[in-house]
């Protein structure tokens, strides 16, 4: 899933200070699971904004809604009337959702309430870690199901580097993922695979090649 | 001059603080009438939104009273409540109401005197802090002539 984190309240409140009626729009997908932009977080942000603005001479009216997915037009169609009522929309979705909302409601000012962090998962309650680098060409079959693109600080494809010390990374306080890859391959009896040198990766399939677009004519309708 | 009488909401766990309040009553212990109690099945029922809503609806202070640590009827409810109260403190600081207006207490069902003590403690704290910023306008407005109190 996409992992996101709420911006500081101070930052959000500054972005909405010139608006009197806002629609706070949550998303029921990834950001609900990572506790950043679901129905509950919408409620807390709305109440917080009202509490702040009630103390001044410019109270704020909040409209609250959470849609199934902000990254699909059909769900945004359902909030058309709410959006019309509001001066601006605070999207509590990832960057994708924010852009869909902005595109669907071109005359509305849209504010992002979250910082989108990575494609990852929850390793325990309250802790999320990056797992996929979205490089566009998966190599997990070569590395025992552990991704060096997303989880090695240097994205090394033939690791580990010389900075791997006692299973820890030299760049930041994380496990050396190449150490993990070696341990797993050893356990699986596939160490010989690691002797093969991985050639340079075609990064043009990743974000480095520009914005990516997928077209599948077989599933197109209409 | 009317003295400020705070409105305090106490979210009390059924298994401890609520029973302790009962005991305090049986023991004829006095505690401030400014505390309004809300019974909860467990302090772990508390949620940041409930705390914020209490302030929005006019509370000057809020506290959550759960079982002694390690004694929660549902094992971890009071630890979770403690974390949520911590989060509520941060949000209340962010919005300018002040995190010191919310607190977490732990007591057992047999601690009637402690229940009264906590109520006094919170009453004093909120009284010293004054009305919540949301109630300040209302507090400074002249009261109707008939509304006289000490």
């Amino acid at each position: 899933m996409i992992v996101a984190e709420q911006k500081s309240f101070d930052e959000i409140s500054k972005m909405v200070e010139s608006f009197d009626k806002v629609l706070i729009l949550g998303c029921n997908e990834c950001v609900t699971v990572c506790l950043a932009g679901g129905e509950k977080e919408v409620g807390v942000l709305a109440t917080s904004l009202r509490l702040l603005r009630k103390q001044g001479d410019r109270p704020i009216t909040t409209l609250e809604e959470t849609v199934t997915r902000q990254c699909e037009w059909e769900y945004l169609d359902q909030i058309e009337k709410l959006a019309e009522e509001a001066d601006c929309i605070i999207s509590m979705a990832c960057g994708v959702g924010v852009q869909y909302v902005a595109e669907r409601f071109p005359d509305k000012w849209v504010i992002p309430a979250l910082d989108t962090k990575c494609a990852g998962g929850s390793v325990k309650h309250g802790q999320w870690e990056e797992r996929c680098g979205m490089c566009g060409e998966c190599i997990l079959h070569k590395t025992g199901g552990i991704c060096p693109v997303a989880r090695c600080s240097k994205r090394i494809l033939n690791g580990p580097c010389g900075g791997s010390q006692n299973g820890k990374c030299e760049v930041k306080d994380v496990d050396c993922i190449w150490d993990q890859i070696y341990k797993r391959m050893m356990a699986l009896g596939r160490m010989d695979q690691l002797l093969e040198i991985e050639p340079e990766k075609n990064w043009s399939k990743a974000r480095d090649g520009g914005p990516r677009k997928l077209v599948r004519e077989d599933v197109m309708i209409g | 001059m009317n003295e400020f009488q705070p409105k305090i909401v106490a979210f009390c766990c059924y298994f401890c603080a609520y029973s302790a309040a009962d005991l305090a009553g049986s023991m004829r212990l006095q505690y401030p009438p400014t505390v309004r109690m809300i019974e909860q099945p467990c302090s772990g029922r508390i949620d940041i939104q409930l705390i914020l809503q209490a302030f929005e609806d006019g509370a000057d202070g809020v506290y959550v009273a759960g079982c002694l640590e390690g004694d929660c009827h549902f094992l971890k409810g009071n630890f979770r409540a403690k974390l949520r109260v911590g989060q509520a403190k941060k949000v209340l600081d962010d919005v300018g109401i002040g995190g010191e207006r919310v607190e977490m207490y732990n007591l057992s069902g047999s601690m009637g005197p402690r229940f009264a003590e906590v109520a006094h403690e919170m009453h004093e704290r909120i009284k010293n802090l004054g009305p919540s910023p949301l109630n300040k306008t209302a507090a400074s407005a002249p009261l109707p002539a008939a509304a006289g109190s000490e």
Side-chain angles (χ1 to χ4, degrees), chain A residues 45-65:
Chain A
L45 179 61
T47 315
S48 304
L49 283 172
R50 289 196 304 269
L51 287 173
L52 176 78
R53 295 279 288 267
K54 259 188 193 174
Q55 295 169 62
D57 51 4
R58 197 171 176 182
I60 193 167
T61 305
T62 54
L63 305 168
E64 299 167 38
E65 185 60 62

Side-chain angles (χ1 to χ4, degrees), chain A residues 112-184:
Chain A
L114 307 184
D115 289 322
T116 309
K117 296 290 182 184
C118 60
S122 166
V123 287
K124 62 178 183 183
H125 265 289
Q127 188 175 320
W128 294 268
E129 285 179 5
E130 186 164 15
R131 283 289 187 271
C132 178
M134 297 184 173
C135 67
E137 191 175 36
C138 195
I139 54 159
L140 283 168
H141 59 294
K142 296 176 180 173
T143 56
I146 302 173
C147 181
V149 176
R151 300 170 72 186
C152 168
S153 299
K154 300 176 184 176
R155 290 190 178 184
I156 283 175
L157 297 178
N158 296 286
C161 71
S164 174
Q165 296 290 321
N166 303 318
K168 290 288 174 191
C169 174
E170 69 169 350
V171 178
K172 56 196 292 187
D173 185 25
V174 290
D175 288 336
C176 167
I177 215 62
W178 271 104
D179 186 70
Q180 305 274 318
I181 292 170
Y182 265 81
K183 282 176 181 157
R184 180 154 166 79

Side-chain angles (χ1 to χ4, degrees), chain A residues 9 40 43-44 47-48 50-52 54-55, chain B residues 47-49 52 56 91 95-97 133-134:
Chain A
F9 179 74
K40 184 183 160 175
V44 173
T47 315
S48 304
R50 289 196 304 269
L51 287 173
L52 176 78
K54 259 188 193 174
Q55 295 169 62
Chain B
D47 184 88
I48 182 167
Q49 181 70 341
L52 296 181
E56 191 174 23
V91 172
V95 302
I97 287 180
L134 296 180

Side-chain angles (χ1 to χ4, degrees), chain A:
Chain A
M1 66 173 170
I2 290 178
V3 180
E5 186 179 40
Q6 196 173 315
K7 285 178 181 288
S8 74
F9 179 74
D10 189 48
E11 199 178 343
I12 298 172
S13 62
K14 282 202 174 91
M15 286 192 281
V16 295
E17 64 189 1
S18 58
F19 300 99
D20 297 319
K21 192 171 187 181
V22 297
L23 167 61
I24 304 179
L25 190 62
C27 179
N28 253 334
E29 291 284 346
C30 318
V31 290
T32 292
V33 182
C34 68
L35 310 176
E39 195 175 344
K40 184 183 160 175
E41 289 75 26
V42 166
V44 173
L45 179 61
T47 315
S48 304
L49 283 172
R50 289 196 304 269
L51 287 173
L52 176 78
R53 295 279 288 267
K54 259 188 193 174
Q55 295 169 62
D57 51 4
R58 197 171 176 182
I60 193 167
T61 305
T62 54
L63 305 168
E64 299 167 38
E65 185 60 62
T66 303
V67 293
T68 307
R69 270 194 292 285
Q70 285 192 24
C71 55
E72 271 194 71
W73 305 125
E74 60 182 285
Y75 298 114
L76 295 179
D77 290 345
Q78 295 168 0
I79 58 146
E80 196 167 1
K81 280 189 180 160
L82 267 179
E84 265 173 36
E85 276 184 54
D87 301 336
C88 83
I89 304 172
I90 301 176
S91 167
M92 294 194 80
C94 64
V96 183
V98 178
Q99 290 183 64
Y100 264 67
V101 173
E103 200 171 328
R104 177 62 184 77
F105 305 107
D107 57 337
K108 291 290 171 195
W109 187 246
V110 179
I111 290 166
L114 307 184
D115 289 322
T116 309
K117 296 290 182 184
C118 60
S122 166
V123 287
K124 62 178 183 183
H125 265 289
Q127 188 175 320
W128 294 268
E129 285 179 5
E130 186 164 15
R131 283 289 187 271
C132 178
M134 297 184 173
C135 67
E137 191 175 36
C138 195
I139 54 159
L140 283 168
H141 59 294
K142 296 176 180 173
T143 56
I146 302 173
C147 181
V149 176
R151 300 170 72 186
C152 168
S153 299
K154 300 176 184 176
R155 290 190 178 184
I156 283 175
L157 297 178
N158 296 286
C161 71
S164 174
Q165 296 290 321
N166 303 318
K168 290 288 174 191
C169 174
E170 69 169 350
V171 178
K172 56 196 292 187
D173 185 25
V174 290
D175 288 336
C176 167
I177 215 62
W178 271 104
D179 186 70
Q180 305 274 318
I181 292 170
Y182 265 81
K183 282 176 181 157
R184 180 154 166 79
M185 291 297 256
M186 207 183 291
L188 292 171
R190 290 175 176 262
M191 282 292 279
D192 54 313
Q193 274 193 29
L194 290 179
L195 294 173
E196 288 172 28
I197 303 295
E198 179 67 17
E200 59 201 20
K201 192 169 172 62
N202 179 3
W203 288 104
S204 71
K205 291 182 179 178
R207 179 60 187 82
D208 309 57
R212 290 165 282 182
K213 182 176 177 178
L214 276 71
V215 180
R216 273 189 57 187
E217 284 177 2
D218 58 320
V219 291
M220 284 183 175
I221 49 173

